Amino acid sequence: PLHALTADENENIRIYGSSGRSVVNVVTTSVSYDFFYNPTPSTGSGSGIIVDKKGNIVTNFHVIEGARSLVVTLYDGSRHSAELVGADPGSDLAVLKIKAREDKLEPILLGDSAVLKVGQKVLAIGNPFGLERTLTVGVVSSLGRTMRASNGRLMRGIIQTDAAINPGNSGGPLLDSSGRLIGVNTAIFSTGEGSIGIGFAIPVDTVKRVLPQLLAKGYVTRPWLGISGQSIDDEDAASLGLSSGGVLVADIFRGSPAEKAGLKGALRNVRLGNIIVAEGGDLITAVDGKTVKSMDDLNDVIEGYEAGRTVTLRVLRDGKTLFVKVRLEEMPRSY
């Protein structure tokens, strides 16, 4: 041969040939309506990952959000209609299912995102701009990034990579050098519509945690307090006459654990510089002794517990420190 392939090139070829059989193309059809209620169908595309021989496929929630119909194309070109098994907007993950012969279903091998190192090689396979079965190669650029889900929840532990990820790659796998799944490609930072070398993937450890619940019941159980709150830093707290920062309870949902525990919401809104903040409500400063300075802090602590657990909130109310016990409940699916 004119050019002998390197060991690294041969490994890329091997991974594409084996793990690539676990990658599918997902085409969605949604319908919008004009002023006269005339329907206008539109299509979108993304990627997905076969996770078992039963035909279950992991993808991004944002890939299938609002879809009326879903069609999955396997590595051999065969097309299958898919049904939605479960979705979790809070982690931007969803599970689809197709009916196909077992010999056509090649489940991905799962890796471990907890042991990743910046600089290690990664490979991405997907369908950027509808170009099916595209392979790109790069490295782990950074670890522990954060990203907002479509419902506002902060996703932590996000993997950053310079492997080219473009629209259509969403829902496809990020693989390590042995071809194991370490992340689900989900977003890019871009000044235009294409890759500039900053892509992001949901870690496989999140997939492992979410997948069993999506398969079992179609959604993910998370505990909640049942408040809407505002993050107050120490400087703003001083302006409001408070002794410290924390989470100011702006509103309390009816029938929620917070209401049952007697937490108090805001009495009024006041302008503080360029923003309007709630005033007169309880200020939550700690949960079970863990200091919280923001809604993200509060959500992180609460999500570390199971529904049914009783926690103790340290609350500042009318200048006095109170300790309020709240029994966490499962978040209603309407929120």
Side-chain angles (χ1 to χ4, degrees):
L2 293 176
H3 170 64
L5 297 177
T6 66
D8 187 53
E9 287 172 325
N10 279 316
E11 193 63 10
N12 292 346
I13 292 166
R14 184 193 68 78
I15 290 171
Y16 181 72
S18 57
S19 299
R21 295 163 67 91
S22 305
V23 184
V24 305
N25 185 21
V26 180
V27 174
T28 63
T29 302
S30 57
V31 178
S32 59
Y33 296 89
D34 64 15
F35 181 79
F36 300 101
Y37 212 66
N38 296 312
T40 304
S42 60
T43 60
S45 70
S47 306
I49 309 158
I50 299 171
V51 291
D52 60 30
K53 285 282 191 180
K54 297 177 181 177
N56 289 304
I57 294 165
V58 166
T59 187
N60 282 135
F61 170 74
H62 77 259
V63 167
I64 55 86
E65 184 178 10
R68 288 285 188 90
S69 67
L70 298 158
V71 176
V72 165
T73 304
L74 299 182
Y75 71 94
D76 65 353
S78 61
R79 300 171 79 243
H80 306 263
S81 63
E83 63 178 26
L84 180 63
V85 173
D88 180 37
S91 63
D92 195 22
L93 292 172
V95 177
L96 315 178
K97 188 168 187 176
I98 61 171
K99 292 180 180 177
R101 293 204 326 256
E102 278 196 17
D103 61 337
K104 288 193 173 189
L105 298 170
E106 295 285 346
I108 199 82
L109 296 174
L110 300 183
D112 183 356
S113 51
V115 298
L116 293 177
K117 304 291 184 187
V118 173
Q120 76 178 74
K121 177 182 170 181
V122 292
L123 304 90
I125 304 176
N127 306 286
F129 297 106
L131 297 170
E132 292 188 21
R133 315 198 57 71
T134 295
L135 171 72
T136 54
V137 180
V139 297
V140 173
S141 302
S142 187
L143 295 165
R145 297 297 195 198
T146 58
M147 183 183 301
R148 293 280 174 195
S150 59
N151 65 356
R153 179 177 175 270
L154 191 67
M155 300 186 293
R156 297 191 184 274
I158 300 296
I159 303 163
Q160 181 184 333
T161 179
D162 68 347
I165 294 172
N166 288 289
N169 273 110
S170 288
L174 189 68
L175 306 166
D176 64 15
S177 56
S178 65
R180 293 178 180 270
L181 181 70
I182 56 168
V184 177
N185 298 319
T186 190
I188 60 172
F189 177 82
S190 178
T191 53
E193 291 188 355
S195 171
I196 58 170
I198 303 176
F200 301 99
I202 298 164
V204 71
D205 289 358
T206 299
V207 178
K208 292 175 183 176
R209 190 170 62 249
V210 167
L211 183 58
Q213 292 195 60
L214 292 182
L215 292 175
K217 55 189 177 185
Y219 63 99
V220 173
T221 299
R222 290 191 174 90
W224 80 323
L225 281 176
I227 69 165
S228 62
Q230 287 183 301
S231 304
I232 302 295
D233 61 27
D234 292 338
E235 185 178 332
D236 289 342
S239 301
L240 291 168
L242 301 171
S243 58
S244 73
V247 175
L248 199 56
V249 179
D251 199 9
I252 295 174
F253 295 104
R254 185 170 297 174
S256 69
E259 184 184 62
K260 294 172 185 174
L263 286 177
K264 296 188 179 299
L267 302 173
R268 57 194 169 273
N269 292 325
V270 297
R271 180 173 290 281
L272 190 64
N274 293 323
I275 62 170
I276 294 175
V277 299
E279 187 180 49
D282 287 339
L283 182 77
I284 300 171
T285 59
V287 181
D288 282 349
K290 299 167 188 160
T291 300
V292 294
K293 292 285 190 181
S294 66
M295 275 300 295
D296 289 332
D297 288 348
L298 181 61
N299 289 334
D300 284 346
V301 174
I302 294 299
E303 286 192 15
Y305 297 115
E306 297 287 336
R309 169 77 176 264
T310 297
V311 298
T312 301
L313 307 182
R314 188 173 72 215
V315 172
L316 194 63
R317 179 186 296 169
D318 299 328
K320 297 178 182 177
T321 298
L322 307 175
F323 292 91
V324 180
K325 291 189 179 298
V326 183
R327 186 177 185 275
L328 301 177
E329 297 176 10
E330 185 176 321
M331 182 185 293
R333 294 186 66 188
S334 57
Y335 292 105

